[in-house]
């Protein structure tokens, strides 16, 4: 009877030993596993993703500021259609006209989507791209026989988006191009920090006067490029939230659970217990 009990005890200890060793192995491997949510566009292979249905250019909205410059082989005639700029030279009050991009006054689009253009008067330009605005003004100048060789340059003055959260350089980003992707914006913000949550980036856009939220997974190429916010618009707000580990680290002792050092400590403790039991 005594031998039988000893055998049962030995068998129990052996089974318990294997269980503890298995738990230790799982904990060690778990603490050394590679995160799978850090790489962008993981499912993008050496082929085109589904073509995006449209490549929308940024269009003019109320409160946008634009630089519009008209050039011609007759500078004196072109000057009639350019906003005057007050010279900053000491002792001079002379008005000057500048056809470059520096020191040029800008137009502010009003709430109705109009600008007050010299000679031509009110022009409704809301909803147009800057290329469409340039062609519209050029055609008006030519058709109304003001300038036969008009060249119109349109540039954005205040177009920008805001990137906040877990990026290296958060803040307002100004740009002067017809298209800006979400990836472009994040790159201009210095990219995400290692604590940034790449699977749930928030983009807030005002649509018909109402803020609308979109969620984007940067690790999924197809859903990212099919998102309506893959191409950003002026005044979009991009927020990269912190991952779970960063959130826990913001509380007292919050980052102890699930950290690599925590699991290594647990594995070491269980190993020590196993050695004491079975030595």
């Amino acid at each position: 009877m005594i031998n039988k009990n000893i055998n049962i005890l030995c068998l129990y200890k052996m089974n318990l030993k294997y269980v503890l060793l298995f738990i230790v192995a799982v904990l060690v491997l778990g603490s050394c596993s590679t995160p799978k949510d850090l790489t962008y566009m993981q499912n993008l292979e050496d082929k085109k993703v589904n073509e995006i249905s449209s490549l929308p250019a940024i269009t003019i909205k109320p409160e946008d500021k634009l630089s519009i410059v008209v050039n011609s082989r007759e500078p004196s005639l072109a000057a009639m259609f350019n906003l005057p700029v007050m010279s900053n030279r000491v002792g001079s009050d002379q008005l000057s006209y500048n056809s470059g991009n520096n020191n040029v006054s800008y137009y502010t689009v009003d709430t109705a989507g109009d600008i007050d253009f010299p000679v031509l008067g009110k022009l409704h330009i809301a909803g147009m791209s800057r290329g469409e605005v340039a062609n519209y003004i050029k055609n008006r100048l030519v058709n109304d026989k003001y300038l036969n060789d008009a060249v119109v340059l349109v540039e954005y003055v205040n177009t920008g988006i805001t990137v906040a959260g877990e990026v290296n350089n958060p803040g307002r980003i100004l740009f002067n191009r017809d298209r800006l992707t979400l990836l472009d914006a994040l790159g201009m913000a210095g990219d995400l920090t290692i604590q940034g949550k790449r699977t749930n980036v928030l983009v807030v856009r005002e649509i018909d006067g109402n803020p609308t939220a979109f969620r984007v997974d940067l690790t999924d190429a197809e859903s990212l490029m099919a998102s309506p916010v893959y191409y950003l618009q002026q005044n979009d707000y991009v927020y990269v939230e912190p991952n779970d580990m960063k959130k826990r680290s913001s509380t007292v002792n919050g980052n102890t659970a699930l950290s690599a050092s925590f699991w290594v400590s647990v594995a070491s403790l269980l190993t020590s217990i196993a050695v004491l039991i079975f030595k």
Side-chain angles (χ1 to χ4, degrees):
M1 183 69 178
I2 295 175
N3 291 335
K4 182 177 180 180
N5 290 336
I6 292 175
N7 291 334
I8 292 174
L9 180 60
C10 291
L11 181 61
Y12 172 77
K13 288 184 175 181
M14 183 175 297
N15 291 335
L16 181 60
K17 178 179 180 181
Y18 287 130
V19 170
L20 287 174
L21 290 176
F22 175 76
I23 293 174
V24 169
V26 170
L27 291 175
V28 171
L29 291 175
S31 65
C32 299
S33 61
T34 302
K36 297 181 180 180
D37 58 354
L38 294 180
T39 304
Y40 298 167
M41 298 183 288
Q42 295 177 21
N43 57 345
L44 184 61
E45 301 176 357
D46 294 333
K47 61 180 181 180
K48 288 184 178 180
V49 296
N50 294 333
E51 291 187 4
I52 302 173
S53 57
S54 63
L55 300 177
I58 292 174
T59 57
I60 310 300
K61 296 181 179 180
E63 299 185 5
D64 279 350
K65 292 178 174 57
L66 303 172
S67 165
I68 304 177
V69 178
V70 177
N71 289 313
S72 171
R73 285 177 293 183
E74 296 291 337
S76 60
L77 293 178
M80 296 171 54
F81 305 97
N82 290 320
L83 292 178
V85 178
M86 185 69 70
S87 174
N88 293 323
R89 288 179 295 180
V90 177
S92 174
D93 293 330
Q94 180 183 359
L95 289 177
S96 62
Y97 295 85
N98 192 331
S99 60
N101 289 330
N102 297 324
N103 300 322
V104 176
S105 296
Y106 54 79
Y107 299 83
T108 299
V109 182
D110 64 21
T111 55
D114 301 334
I115 59 172
D116 194 0
F117 198 79
V119 181
L120 299 182
K122 286 279 186 180
L123 301 179
H124 185 73
I125 61 173
M128 297 183 183
S129 68
R130 62 174 176 173
E132 290 171 339
V133 173
N135 288 331
Y136 173 51
I137 295 175
K138 177 181 178 179
N139 290 335
R140 284 289 306 272
L141 294 174
V142 173
N143 294 336
D144 294 349
K145 301 186 184 304
Y146 290 113
L147 290 172
N148 292 325
D149 61 344
V151 176
V152 181
L153 304 177
V154 179
E155 301 288 347
Y156 297 113
V157 175
N158 70 330
T159 305
I161 50 96
T162 300
V163 181
E166 288 298 325
V167 292
N168 288 296
N169 300 305
R172 175 104 174 144
I173 297 175
L174 298 178
F175 61 94
N176 190 7
R177 62 174 75 174
D178 294 320
R179 296 179 180 87
L180 183 78
T181 69
L182 177 58
L183 295 177
D184 289 332
L186 293 174
M188 295 166 73
D191 202 3
L192 278 68
T193 66
I194 195 66
Q195 293 88 9
K197 194 169 185 179
R198 288 151 173 79
T199 57
N200 196 26
V201 175
L202 172 68
V203 178
V204 178
R205 172 175 297 169
E206 186 174 297
I207 300 177
D208 297 328
N210 299 313
T212 304
F214 300 86
R215 297 283 180 173
V216 181
D217 183 356
L218 299 179
T219 67
D220 187 337
E222 292 195 5
S223 67
L224 168 63
M225 295 185 179
S227 170
V229 293
Y230 177 68
Y231 285 99
L232 297 176
Q233 297 180 9
Q234 61 267 55
N235 300 321
D236 280 354
Y237 179 85
V238 180
Y239 176 70
V240 179
E241 67 176 280
N243 58 21
D244 292 339
M245 183 174 291
K246 181 64 179 291
K247 291 177 182 177
R248 287 192 297 270
S249 68
S250 64
T251 61
V252 178
N253 296 324
N255 198 33
T256 56
L258 299 181
S259 66
S261 59
F262 171 79
W263 290 118
V264 170
S265 299
V266 171
S268 177
L269 176 63
L270 290 177
T271 302
S272 300
I273 294 174
V275 169
L276 290 175
I277 293 176
F278 300 112
K279 72 175 183 178

